[in-house]
Amino acid sequence: MTAALSIRDLSKVYSNDVHALRGISLDVQEGDFFALLGPNGAGKSTTIGILFSLINKSGGKVEVFGIDTDKDFPGAKKHIGIVPQEFNFNLFEKVEHIVVTQGGYYGLPAELAKERAEKYLRKLGLWEKRNDRARELSGGMKRRLMIARALVHEPRLLILDEPTAGVDIEMRRSMWEFLKELNAAGTTIILTTHYLEEAESLCRNIAIIDEGSIVHHSSMRELLRQLHTEMFILDTRQEVDQDVEIPGFPCKRVDAHTLEVVKDKDQDVNELFAALSQQGIDIASMRNKANRLEEMFVSLLS
Amino acid sequence: MNSYEKWVAFQTILVKEVRRYLRIWPQTLLPPAITMTLYFVIFGALIGSRIGEMGGFSYMQFVVPGLIMMAVVTNSYSNVVSSFFGAKFNHSVEELLVSPVPNWVILAGYITGGVSRGLAVAVIVTCLSLFFSDLSIHNLPLTVGIVLLTSVLFALFGFINAVFANNFDDISIVPTFVLTPLTYLGGVFYSMELLPDFWENVSRLNPLVYVVNGFRYGVLGVSDVDVSFAFGMLALFTAVAFGYCMHLLNTGKRLRQ
């Protein structure tokens, strides 16, 4: 299968001598839903900026569906749809004009661009707003407008830089559903996000970047398999003592009715319940403390 | 992109540009109409009637070509500098930069947009001038050629200004402190024969002298400078400015990091 994106030894040194990328390499297969994660300043935006052609690389090679961007960047760009982090449209333009105009930049005749604009504005719930100026839209609507704009030329590879930043939970969930549908229909998607729950729920493969280098690159399943412990929050029926101990399970009393318990991956949950029972503690409810990817992310970067 | 796709992209940029200045016509098309009417009334009719002939024509007839060119220069420049800097400022220029549109198509789209506004204003000002003076064209191809070249040249200058501008002050400095003084000193209101030899020679360093006189020759058939030299210099400046704009786009200076 052709790689939708292949990056080899990509480096970027800014004019102030900051080494933003130190020769990173990664592959994203066609049809994948891929997460590129990293803390602020890790090099994610630089990587994305190079793919957007808004940042000139210092070295290395980028191929999009086998097209070398050094030899034919316009040819590669035809396959890429871009949803940047910051709003980058003219706020005084009408919603439909923004999408149709972008279609024109990709060489779509006006009729086809209008047809596509209607298709994606409807799918993203913006058709009723098509004659509004972009500045009149809410933050979530502006984000969806950028997605509609990125899809007007029906790219094979969609790159989203923090697409749900500042979007409310309901809207975020509906955007996830839309992206899942798009991916199921064959569009390769690369996503950067700070919401690790988002990456865990959507993405099949992942790369974590830190200080300009890839520190992890594998499938999501493989990454989560490396997580050795899990932390649970237990709500107890009785009040628990200040110096409570559960043999075999490190724990911490949060308040009179709440405990945090760490369970090793090869320990059984039944063992935990048995140990609690021996201490005379009845459990009303239990839940994971944090999402698993977040724990892994922190451990990889620490 | 194939040729058809490039043509579509060019049309898209041009339509966007035209739509922009038509949408804000009270800021783009109306002011030059009012300003030039005032010039016609004050300098042409009121003061001009006391000045008498200049270059063998009534003063009104003499100033009309220069005033039309002044409008063309200012509007071609302003359209591109404000539109492209605006796109840079609100980051919507990224819509174009991330797309497969070749740089020369981007430049051609913006420049043609600027030229179209320059020509639209030229037509408006010319129509207004007919209320004050008869106008007959001495050499139509030369007149059209000079207007087009001038419009393209100053649209290119506007593009360069927009690329280097960091804020809105930077896009008003050049029109206010460079373009307007050079236009006034470019022989719009007087024949260079009136100047002492020293100042006449200094004036010849002003590129607007060639623009104004080239156009005046096309309309009236009189000029203070050699017209073929003026046309050649305009063509040369346009080629150099186009080359420099392409260099800016190809290297991504001030546009890409």
Side-chain angles (χ1 to χ4, degrees):
Chain A
M1 190 184 279
T2 321
L5 176 68
S6 174
I7 292 176
R8 289 286 169 274
D9 301 321
L10 188 64
S11 63
K12 174 66 186 176
V13 184
Y14 287 105
S15 53
N16 55 1
D17 210 32
V18 169
H19 290 249
L21 292 177
R22 300 170 185 273
I24 66 165
S25 297
L26 65 90
D27 289 302
V28 178
Q29 294 305 317
E30 188 169 4
D32 200 357
F33 208 136
F34 190 92
L36 183 62
L37 305 182
N40 290 332
K44 292 190 309 288
S45 294
T46 300
T47 308
I48 296 288
I50 290 169
L51 301 177
F52 287 6
S53 80
L54 295 176
I55 296 175
N56 295 322
K57 63 185 168 66
S58 305
K61 188 175 173 179
V62 177
E63 284 185 359
V64 178
F65 293 103
I67 302 170
D68 188 337
T69 57
D70 286 333
K71 291 176 183 161
D72 183 15
F73 213 155
K77 283 177 176 181
K78 287 177 83 169
H79 297 299
I80 307 176
I82 284 157
V83 182
Q85 192 176 339
E86 306 291 339
F87 302 129
N88 68 345
F89 42 73
N90 186 342
L91 292 169
F92 298 96
E93 285 275 337
K94 289 182 179 174
V95 167
E96 190 180 13
H97 279 164
I98 288 173
V99 183
V100 171
T101 299
Q102 190 71 12
Y105 294 158
Y106 283 81
L108 300 186
E111 280 310 304
L112 181 59
K114 281 180 187 167
E115 211 176 278
R116 297 260 185 91
E118 181 176 348
K119 176 180 169 184
Y120 289 106
L121 287 175
R122 279 189 190 282
K123 279 194 174 187
L124 287 153
L126 288 172
W127 183 242
E128 302 305 318
K129 299 280 182 186
R130 64 189 179 280
N131 291 319
D132 289 4
R133 308 261 173 219
R135 65 180 168 169
E136 294 162 22
L137 301 182
S138 67
M141 286 176 177
K142 284 177 184 154
R143 294 231 166 260
R144 282 182 283 155
L145 171 59
M146 292 206 292
I147 296 177
R149 185 185 61 179
L151 291 172
V152 70
H153 62 290
E154 302 201 327
R156 295 164 70 192
L157 171 62
L158 181 66
I159 302 172
L160 304 107
D161 194 4
E162 308 215 11
T164 54
V167 173
D168 66 49
I169 293 168
E170 193 182 351
M171 184 66 68
R172 196 184 305 165
R173 301 260 170 200
S174 78
M175 280 168 72
W176 289 2
E177 287 311 309
F178 177 76
L179 293 175
K180 277 180 187 171
E181 276 176 36
L182 202 64
N183 180 244
T187 306
T188 308
I189 297 179
I190 299 176
L191 180 82
T192 76
T193 180
H194 277 121
Y195 300 112
L196 300 180
E197 178 199 0
E198 184 167 89
E200 188 175 348
S201 125
L202 293 173
C203 301
R204 287 188 286 279
N205 290 295
I206 187 170
I208 296 177
I209 187 167
D210 189 31
E211 295 180 354
S213 302
I214 300 278
V215 293
H216 190 89
H217 182 197
S218 74
S219 69
M220 187 68 77
R221 194 174 298 173
E222 176 61 30
L223 176 66
L224 295 175
R225 200 176 292 142
Q226 292 175 24
L227 193 62
H228 292 291
T229 59
E230 213 171 353
M231 188 176 285
F232 290 103
I233 296 177
L234 310 177
D235 297 316
T236 62
R237 291 200 187 280
Q238 305 89 0
E239 283 196 9
V240 288
D241 296 337
Q242 290 280 0
D243 53 353
V244 62
E245 281 187 7
I246 305 167
F249 297 91
C251 70
K252 190 177 94 179
R253 180 184 182 273
V254 179
D255 60 41
H257 285 277
T258 314
L259 280 176
E260 275 182 11
V261 180
V262 178
K263 181 187 85 65
D264 211 72
K265 200 175 117 189
D266 47 18
Q267 286 178 304
D268 205 79
V269 182
N270 289 335
E271 292 175 40
L272 172 60
F273 283 124
L276 286 163
S277 191
Q278 278 176 7
Q279 301 302 311
I281 302 172
D282 295 330
I283 303 302
S285 64
M286 70 184 287
R287 62 189 182 277
N288 273 98
K289 185 189 179 190
N291 106 14
R292 296 173 301 159
L293 181 60
E294 192 166 307
E295 289 173 39
M296 195 68 220
F297 184 78
V298 171
S299 77
L300 277 168
L301 298 180
S302 59
Chain B
M1 291 183 105
N2 60 36
S3 302
Y4 177 71
E5 289 170 333
K6 285 174 191 159
W7 172 241
V8 170
F10 168 76
Q11 278 181 312
T12 305
I13 300 169
L14 177 58
V15 167
K16 184 170 72 77
E17 286 301 288
V18 172
R19 203 167 57 207
R20 189 193 74 88
Y21 73 70
L22 289 181
R23 189 177 65 222
I24 51 171
W25 64 269
Q27 298 169 45
T28 53
L29 301 181
L30 190 60
I34 293 172
T35 310
M36 290 304 152
T37 303
L38 290 173
Y39 276 125
F40 292 143
V41 171
I42 296 166
F43 290 98
L46 299 179
I47 298 175
S49 61
R50 296 181 179 225
I51 292 175
E53 285 195 351
M54 190 165 291
F57 292 88
S58 72
Y59 189 66
M60 175 63 93
Q61 284 176 309
F62 183 82
V63 295
V64 162
L67 289 173
I68 294 172
M69 284 315 273
M70 198 164 135
V72 168
V73 164
T74 312
N75 283 277
S76 302
Y77 189 95
S78 301
N79 196 70
V80 180
V81 75
S82 57
S83 176
F84 197 74
F85 178 72
K88 244 180 68 171
F89 186 77
N90 64 27
H91 298 283
S92 64
V93 73
E94 291 174 7
E95 294 178 330
L96 263 173
L97 298 178
V98 303
S99 76
V101 185
N103 289 334
W104 67 267
V105 175
I106 295 176
L107 186 59
Y110 271 96
I111 298 310
T112 313
V115 169
S116 77
R117 177 168 150 193
L119 296 184
V121 169
V123 169
I124 292 169
V125 173
T126 304
C127 290
L128 287 170
S129 75
L130 296 176
F131 289 103
F132 301 91
S133 165
D134 292 332
L135 194 69
S136 58
I137 307 290
H138 171 73
N139 185 334
L140 185 62
L142 182 75
T143 306
V144 173
I146 292 275
V147 170
L148 279 177
L149 262 183
T150 303
S151 192
V152 170
L153 177 62
F154 283 90
L156 288 165
F157 285 159
F159 188 87
I160 295 168
N161 189 174
V163 168
F164 284 97
N166 289 320
N167 52 51
F168 283 98
D169 289 340
D170 292 346
I171 66 170
S172 62
I173 285 172
V174 175
T176 307
F177 295 105
V178 180
L179 222 49
T180 307
L182 285 182
T183 312
Y184 282 126
L185 297 171
V188 173
F189 296 105
Y190 57 86
S191 167
M192 284 166 59
E193 289 171 1
L194 298 178
L195 297 174
D197 285 350
F198 174 76
W199 289 111
E200 186 181 342
N201 289 329
V202 170
S203 287
R204 287 178 192 281
L205 299 174
N206 177 0
L208 269 302
V209 163
Y210 301 96
V211 168
V212 170
N213 278 281
F215 187 68
R216 185 174 285 140
Y217 181 84
V219 176
L220 301 177
V222 294
S223 170
D224 292 333
V225 297
D226 181 70
V227 175
S228 49
F229 179 74
F231 199 86
M233 288 304 283
L234 260 180
L236 178 69
F237 276 126
T238 305
V240 171
F242 181 82
Y244 187 59
C245 286
M246 283 306 298
H247 167 74
L248 292 175
L249 279 168
N250 289 336
T251 54
K253 194 171 178 67
R254 301 284 188 119
L255 297 171
R256 302 177 204 266
Q257 288 177 285

